[in-house]
Amino acid sequence: MAADKDKSAAPEEPQGELTVPAYWAEAKAELMGRDRIMAKLIPQFGDLHLRGQPDPFTTLARSIVGQQVTPKAADAAWGKLLATCPKLSPSQVLKAGAVALSGCGLSKRKTEYILDLADSFKAKRVHADLWSQMDDEAVIAELVQIRGISRWTAEMFLIFNLLRPNVLPLDDPGLIQGISQNYFSGEPVSRSDAREVAANWEPWRTVATWYLWRSLDPLP
């Protein structure tokens, strides 16, 4: 069952073993060559780049924790969760149980979501080992069957874990705000407007999205 659509901005990029997308330099060059806004924006951030988190469970858990709360509140709850479950494995989360997870500052619903996510991984109801071979929509279709995973959360997973280059998360307020400020002088932007702007970014919509996030929050 898909969860209610969350309205968070993009999650802070998970720390740990980090992977640089192989396509990043090529994407930057192409975007700057064809989009005048990107040509001004991208150089402002020098060598900064999206940092991938290779562990699927950690990436999804972090996205759930970050739903519908401020980054500060999400960081605080995430820190407490890591203190409670240092390995953050599905088995460790399930062993900790609902009471311990609630003590990390998670709502009752988020506690249920994290436990369901852990159970889905432990019981192998999801095929994490196959996701790298599946196309974007196929991965999204599987992920949204997990409670607490909306399309937005699945798209964040495609970006930060699978490092897919052409994701356009139209449900993300940060993307819409970034397009509004950078392309429409702050005027309201519809999903249709966003799609039209993003058509010029193909096949590097992930990269353009990341730079628009940075235009709102310079620190990744």
Side-chain angles (χ1 to χ4, degrees):
M1 182 180 87
D4 293 339
K5 183 187 298 179
D6 51 74
K7 298 179 176 61
S8 315
E12 179 179 329
E13 296 164 25
Q15 301 299 307
E17 183 184 350
L18 302 171
T19 304
V20 182
Y23 52 77
W24 202 257
E26 179 185 359
K28 284 171 59 176
E30 290 195 14
L31 287 170
M32 287 189 292
R34 71 171 73 141
D35 186 301
R36 62 181 180 83
I37 300 298
M38 288 292 153
K40 295 178 181 178
L41 185 61
I42 290 174
Q44 296 177 28
F45 298 97
D47 293 331
L48 288 179
H49 52 74
L50 183 154
R51 299 176 298 178
Q53 166 57 259
D55 179 62
F57 180 74
T58 300
T59 306
L60 291 167
R62 183 65 179 86
S63 290
I64 289 173
V65 169
Q67 291 173 5
Q68 297 181 322
V69 296
T70 65
K72 184 177 179 179
D75 288 345
W78 184 248
K80 292 177 182 178
L81 180 59
L82 291 179
T84 301
C85 303
K87 295 181 180 178
L88 205 72
S89 66
S91 294
Q92 190 177 60
V93 168
L94 290 170
K95 185 176 180 180
V99 173
L101 296 186
S102 295
C104 298
L106 298 176
S107 66
K108 182 176 184 292
R109 178 170 290 186
K110 284 187 181 179
T111 295
E112 293 172 352
Y113 290 167
I114 295 287
L115 289 171
D116 189 63
L117 176 69
D119 188 60
S120 294
F121 269 75
K122 187 174 182 181
K124 299 190 183 300
R125 291 197 299 273
V126 293
H127 306 93
D129 56 330
L130 299 179
W131 286 337
S132 64
Q133 304 164 38
M134 296 162 59
D135 67 31
D136 291 356
E137 289 302 323
V139 175
I140 290 172
E142 181 162 303
L143 285 174
V144 297
Q145 300 306 309
I146 303 171
R147 293 182 65 204
I149 305 295
S150 67
R151 182 179 179 90
W152 174 86
T153 307
E155 288 170 337
M156 294 304 103
F157 181 81
L158 291 175
I159 291 172
F160 290 107
N161 181 269
L162 296 180
L163 301 179
R164 297 295 171 85
N166 199 34
V167 180
L168 184 70
L170 289 172
D171 292 325
D172 185 75
L175 169 64
I176 300 301
Q177 184 181 354
I179 291 175
S180 170
Q181 291 190 7
N182 288 280
Y183 289 85
F184 292 87
S185 301
E187 293 296 316
V189 172
S190 68
R191 291 167 69 95
S192 178
D193 293 332
R195 284 195 188 95
E196 185 175 347
V197 169
N200 196 37
W201 304 336
E202 298 266 10
W204 311 117
R205 295 184 299 180
T206 293
V207 181
T209 295
W210 187 88
Y211 280 106
L212 290 176
W213 286 336
R214 296 286 69 78
S215 75
L216 304 175
D217 179 9
L219 296 177

